[in-house]
Amino acid sequence: MRIGRLPCGPLNAITDVAGVKVGHRTLMSYDGQVRSGVTAILPNDNPYEERVIGGSFTLNGAGEVSGLVQVNEWGLIETPICLTNTLSVGVVQDAVVQWMVRRHPEIGRRGDVPIPLVGECDDSWLNDIAGGHLRAQHVYEALDRARGGKVREGNVGGGTGMITCDFKAGVGTSSRRFGPPEMSYTLGVLVQSNFGVMNDLRIAGVPVGQVLERDYEGYDRRRVNYGSIIVVFATDAPLLPKQLERVAKRCALGLGRVGSMAAHGSGEIILGFSTTNIVPRHPVGWTGSLVYLHDQHTRDLYEAAIEATEEAVVNSLFAAESMSGFLGRYVPSLPLDDVREIMASRGC
């Protein structure tokens, strides 16, 4: 099955963008009460000193990414980006600060203070979210484990307790390459996916959820909480903050392709950065120069954002395994054999 027209990067992951690193710390207790974690994304090895251009778009704001107001004001990202559950945002934010202070002792003393970017989704259906199980040490471990290369997907890190369209999901990633051969670019997406109901689910345009629904009529599922999704994208295409905001809007179109309708209680927040232009914290001189992609050449960039976002959500479902959790609740994985049969019947 192929989603979209553009080719994937070699890993089909956000880490296909050179310099980007991802780390996970997963929390799973033997008694089934804890199903959570944290995922860390680093734009480069030293985002505090080597800030990257950033931008965002909020399709629906029933969610949170701390520090996003400053990103939208300055157009810069200067901290790691972490993803976790809703009630652990404060713990993660404080831990990121301490992790950065260890590396930059001047923070808050002789230097400026950063506001860490921490996104959240509600994993309370499978996780004892109010139990305070995520600790600073877990965040340090996710940050220290961040590497390039292959990215683990599904029930890992911040995605451990997440659900999408009533099936087990979690972290998913994908990438696309675009542009002329002499200067081809890469765009990669990572999602913490936790939205939707079964009937909404579409894969490559096929209403898979509607077909599967009849087999899960008696299945106990979350009813009140529609869930949320955080999308993080990276690209080596040279983009300005407003251009990154426009790319983020196209990621939202990718969510729509999978079935998201950005329901009342769902947060669809999209954050991205370009690795090409580095804005130093301590510049020399009064002026600097930025390279940027002309707007006339953004068509394939937008298509890459749509396709990679759509596939990242699908990959989060394909990689996840069934899970039992808090209060004995159970969430099944997507039945892949049935999905293949449905897709084949539609010529996909």
Side-chain angles (χ1 to χ4, degrees):
M1 179 190 68
R2 180 180 176 85
I3 292 179
R5 174 184 68 87
L6 296 171
C8 302
L11 299 171
N12 195 23
I14 193 172
T15 48
D16 283 325
V17 179
V20 176
K21 297 176 171 61
V22 176
H24 300 298
R25 178 58 164 92
T26 302
L27 298 183
M28 295 269 287
S29 68
Y30 289 109
D31 62 5
Q33 301 304 291
V34 183
R35 300 286 187 263
S36 197
V38 58
T39 293
I41 304 162
L42 276 64
N44 56 44
D45 287 331
N46 189 2
Y48 180 69
E49 296 287 353
E50 299 179 353
R51 301 177 296 180
V52 295
I53 304 296
S56 76
F57 173 66
T58 299
L59 178 62
N60 193 54
E64 184 62 78
V65 175
S66 67
L68 201 59
V69 171
Q70 181 172 295
V71 172
N72 293 334
E73 182 68 24
W74 287 359
L76 296 174
I77 290 177
E78 57 184 8
T79 76
I81 301 165
C82 289
L83 307 178
T84 189
N85 72 63
T86 307
L87 299 188
S88 294
V89 170
V91 171
V92 175
Q93 187 175 40
D94 184 62
V96 174
V97 169
Q98 298 308 314
W99 185 85
M100 293 181 69
V101 167
R102 293 177 186 177
R103 286 154 179 77
H104 307 281
E106 72 276 13
I107 287 176
R109 298 180 175 98
R110 302 181 307 278
D112 200 359
V113 293
I115 304 175
L117 291 158
V118 182
E120 58 77 25
C121 295
D122 181 357
D123 60 12
S124 60
W125 184 258
L126 284 170
N127 177 50
D128 175 22
I129 194 171
H133 303 286
L134 189 69
R135 308 293 174 81
Q137 183 60 38
H138 302 135
V139 183
Y140 303 153
E141 291 169 3
L143 290 162
D144 290 338
R145 292 174 182 176
R147 299 286 186 276
K150 185 175 176 59
V151 177
R152 290 183 63 201
E153 299 176 275
N155 303 352
V156 294
T160 301
M162 302 301 168
I163 303 163
T164 296
C165 296
D166 295 323
F167 292 108
K168 189 67 190 71
V171 170
T173 189
S174 184
S175 70
R176 292 294 185 274
R177 295 185 60 80
F178 62 96
E182 66 273 14
M183 58 174 67
S184 66
Y185 300 114
T186 300
L187 182 142
V189 169
L190 184 144
V191 299
Q192 178 173 280
S193 187
N194 190 51
F195 72 92
V197 297
M198 192 177 300
N199 194 59
D200 295 338
L201 179 61
R202 304 180 71 88
I203 298 177
V206 176
V208 170
Q210 294 179 15
V211 179
L212 294 174
E213 181 77 50
R214 61 175 178 265
D215 296 327
Y216 292 85
E217 291 180 354
Y219 159 53
D220 183 27
R221 63 191 84 179
R222 63 183 184 187
R223 303 285 182 180
V224 177
N225 177 7
Y226 188 82
S228 298
I229 184 169
I230 303 294
V231 180
V232 179
F233 70 89
T235 184
D236 55 13
L239 301 177
L240 303 173
K242 192 65 179 180
Q243 291 177 310
L244 285 161
E245 178 188 332
R246 298 180 74 192
V247 174
K249 292 178 180 178
R250 275 63 184 186
C251 291
L253 294 178
L255 297 180
R257 285 188 175 185
V258 188
S260 171
M261 61 176 182
H264 167 68
S266 179
E268 283 76 22
I269 303 175
I270 303 150
L271 169 66
F273 56 87
S274 168
T275 60
T276 299
N277 290 298
I278 298 298
V279 180
R281 179 168 292 279
H282 303 290
V284 176
W286 283 51
T287 62
S289 300
L290 299 176
V291 178
Y292 65 93
L293 188 70
H294 288 298
D295 288 332
Q296 290 85 344
H297 301 300
T298 54
R299 184 192 185 282
D300 285 354
L301 168 67
Y302 292 160
E303 190 170 2
I306 294 168
E307 291 182 7
T309 303
E310 179 183 8
E311 184 169 345
V313 175
V314 173
N315 287 345
S316 78
L317 285 159
F318 278 29
E321 298 177 352
S322 301
M323 179 177 285
S324 297
F326 186 51
L327 302 179
R329 293 165 177 160
Y330 172 77
V331 178
S333 61
L334 189 67
L336 299 185
D337 289 341
D338 292 343
V339 170
R340 293 187 187 98
E341 184 177 332
I342 293 167
M343 300 300 289
S345 71
R346 303 297 179 99
C348 297

